[in-house]
Amino acid sequence: MPEAAKTALELVKKHKIALFLYNGTKYVRIKKSDALTLSMNPIEKEYDYIADEESTTEVEGYKPSIDQNLVMYKGSDDYEMMWPYFYERRTGAAAHVKCMIVYMHEPGADGGYKAWETDSVISVQDLAAVDKKLDFKVLFGGGITNGTATMTDGTPTFTAEIKKG
């Protein structure tokens, strides 16, 4: 293979995948966490076709969620945003928040980055005082809009992809 055709491997670094939650006026990045696992939670269905010896599993959709912890630094934007969800025990419409995941290792259109935006629900799980952590889930709701996020002073602006067809 010619040298020019080879693609250099680049490890995706943790700080290049960013979780942002909307506080009512702007997106706030969840920074003071030591984990970010986006679980896709596939919705699978078994089909037992008569012509096949074994059944077939099809993926019919996804229900993503993030189990998140937040190291509690009073005064940090992410703590100040999440504290009311815990303290007020928010439910229903009060627990909904816009969520954006920005993949800063994947170039998007117009110099931005590939991103997802969705409505989500914050489900507070635990306040672990000894560990100084507030644990919560971000449960994606409805659907995910693919698009591009451009960054200005660390705050993303989302532009939805134009669907073809």
Side-chain angles (χ1 to χ4, degrees):
M1 176 183 308
E3 286 298 314
K6 291 183 181 178
T7 302
L9 296 177
E10 183 180 345
L11 185 63
V12 176
K13 301 198 172 149
K14 64 185 176 195
H15 68 279
K16 294 288 191 175
I17 301 174
L19 167 62
F20 291 89
L21 299 173
Y22 193 72
N23 72 0
T25 56
K26 68 174 186 171
Y27 272 108
V28 172
R29 184 171 182 180
I30 303 299
K31 294 180 183 178
K32 300 299 184 193
S33 177
D34 56 18
L36 196 163
T37 301
L38 197 158
S39 300
M40 292 303 292
N41 305 315
I43 301 165
E44 300 169 345
K45 186 168 180 180
E46 289 287 319
Y47 291 93
D48 197 9
Y49 301 121
I50 60 171
D52 296 337
E53 186 174 336
E54 300 295 328
S55 62
T56 300
T57 303
E58 297 288 348
V59 176
E60 296 193 334
Y62 294 94
K63 185 83 169 107
S65 65
I66 300 171
D67 285 345
Q68 190 64 61
N69 67 46
L70 181 66
V71 178
M72 298 184 295
Y73 283 95
K74 183 147 179 63
S76 68
D77 287 347
D78 48 7
Y79 171 81
E80 297 300 333
M81 180 182 177
M82 295 311 302
W83 173 252
Y85 286 88
F86 169 80
Y87 185 74
E88 297 168 7
R89 300 166 311 281
R90 292 183 179 181
T91 61
H96 282 252
V97 65
K98 282 195 322 184
C99 170
M100 187 187 314
I101 307 291
V102 180
Y103 301 98
M104 295 185 288
H105 63 288
E106 291 289 339
D110 301 324
Y113 304 105
K114 290 188 178 191
W116 289 347
E117 188 176 56
T118 187
D119 180 46
S120 66
V121 174
I122 301 299
S123 176
V124 178
Q125 301 296 304
D126 304 294
L127 187 149
V130 172
D131 294 333
K132 301 163 200 70
K133 291 183 181 177
L134 180 59
D135 299 330
F136 60 96
K137 291 182 181 182
V138 180
L139 307 169
F140 289 30
I144 298 170
T145 303
N146 291 349
T148 301
T150 52
M151 305 295 281
T152 305
D153 297 327
T155 302
T157 300
F158 185 80
T159 303
E161 281 182 5
I162 297 171
K163 294 185 181 184
K164 298 173 185 164

